[in-house]
Structure formats: structure tokens, C-alpha cells
Amino acid sequence: KNEVEQSPQNLTAQEGEFITINCSYSVGISALHWLQQHPGGGIVSLFMLSSGKKKHGRLIATINIQEKHSSLHITASHPRDSAVYICAVRGYGGSQGNLIFGKGTKLSVKP
Amino acid sequence: DAMVIQNPRYQVTQFGKPVTLSCSQTLNHNVMYWYQQKSSQAPKLLFHYYDKDFNNEADTPDNFQSRRPNTSFCFLDIRSPGLGDAAMYLCATSRSTPYEQYFGPGTRLTVT
């Protein structure tokens, strides 16, 4: 079983729809990252969370430490949001900087 | 703007011909990471530098080496590239704490 599980793996939405991507993890973490990767491109860090909720523009990220679960929401989705969204968690101790990545959720937003 | 820069963005090399990928940063971060990402897979950490201290992942092949001559620059050397080394190579940086990583745009390596 992967330490970081994302759902769904693939998601197709119509422009304007509200989108939710989920991430569950099984290890103790010091922080959770949501990352965005466009096709053939590098990675952009969207959020780093250790508790609660963060909002940036149309993007909202929440985390529930007790339930070991995080969600990424996109309001009023747009075709330019089409990308792979990756959840990654950071542990404790000697490997504190190392990220454990989920397999990503491929989002396609149709006009 | 402070950023992480990778050069080149696309690199083609021949089987067995050494290749060097470059990463530079203007963030003055003390930690630098190299990841390998193959198609449709999650990034895989190869190694990282904490200041000048080199930390190799246990399963990183000996074919992969790295140099960090100063805070700003880090290089990934592939001594004898094989076809299986074709991938996107991502550089990232962070401070010691809170460890938020900033990624470069990546170098896509093709091995012919």
C-alpha cells in the first residue's frame, strides 16, 4: 500500500465546475504539499500545509491531521487548470526534507 | 524574481556519453535536491545537499553523481547514460526549515 494515496487518478470537468482532489496518507507528517505539473513541464508548489486551511485565488487546500487527509479544491475551474496535481508529504527526523509523493491526479477541464 | 533555474531545458545525449545537467538558484537556500521523474510516475529523489553535505539515496545508481561548488549552483552528472535514464530531471531547493521546496522547470533528457 502506498504511503500517500490520491483520488481520483483522473478527473474530467467542464469549465466552471467545482473540483475536489483528495489525498490520504498513512505516515506521521510535519507538512503536506500540493504541487501542480503541466504536461511536459516542471513542478509548481501550490501550498504547504501543516494544519487548517489555505486559500490562494481559486484554489483552496485543507488538511485534517487527525484523519490524515487533505483536499485540494478548485472553484470556477478553467481549461488552464488542466494539469497533474500531486500531493506530497514530508516526514520527521533525518529525512525531514524528503518528500513522499502521491501518484498524482490528472485533471482535464473542458471548455 | 528569486527562482530556480535549470539548463538546458532539453538535452539529447548518446548512449554512454557523459552528460551534465545544471541547476542554479537565487533564493539563497541551503538545501538543494535532484529528482528523476519518468513518464507518468512520481518524482524520485536521487540525492540532496544540505549545505555542502551530500546525501545519497540508497537506491540511486552509481552512474549518477552530483557536485555543488557553491550555494547557488548544483550539477547532476550522468557518467554513462543508458536508455533507461531518459527522464525529466527536476532540481529543487529549500531552507533548512520549514523545508518548503521550490522546483525548477526541469531538464528533459533523451538518450539515443
Side-chain angles (χ1 to χ4, degrees), chain B residues 70-87:
Chain B
N70 53 53
T71 299
S72 301
F73 284 87
C74 195
F75 300 98
L76 169 62
D77 300 309
I78 308 177
R79 293 192 297 186
S80 182
L83 298 177
D85 296 328

Side-chain angles (χ1 to χ4, degrees), chain A residues 31 33 35 37 39-48 86 90 93-94 96-99 101-103, chain B residues 9-10 33 35 37 40 42-45 48 57 88 90 97-106 108:
Chain A
H33 299 251
L35 309 168
Q37 187 171 32
I43 289 176
V44 174
S45 179
L46 299 174
F47 295 104
M48 184 180 72
I86 303 169
R90 171 159 49 84
Q96 191 171 359
N98 296 0
L99 295 176
F101 293 87
K103 292 187 175 181
Chain B
R9 294 292 308 277
Y10 300 91
Y33 309 80
Y35 292 89
Q37 186 181 28
S40 301
K44 177 181 179 296
L45 183 66
H48 73 278
E57 292 300 298
M88 173 78 88
L90 297 161
T97 56
Y99 280 99
E100 181 169 15
Q101 292 188 22
Y102 293 77
F103 286 84
R108 183 165 295 284

Side-chain angles (χ1 to χ4, degrees), chain B residues 46 56-61:
Chain B
L46 295 173
N56 199 31
E57 292 300 298
D59 56 355
T60 297

Side-chain angles (χ1 to χ4, degrees), chain A residues 55-67:
Chain A
K55 184 176 189 293
H56 186 257
R58 295 181 294 107
L59 301 177
I60 303 166
T62 63
I63 188 168
N64 185 319
I65 297 293
Q66 287 73 30
E67 294 186 4

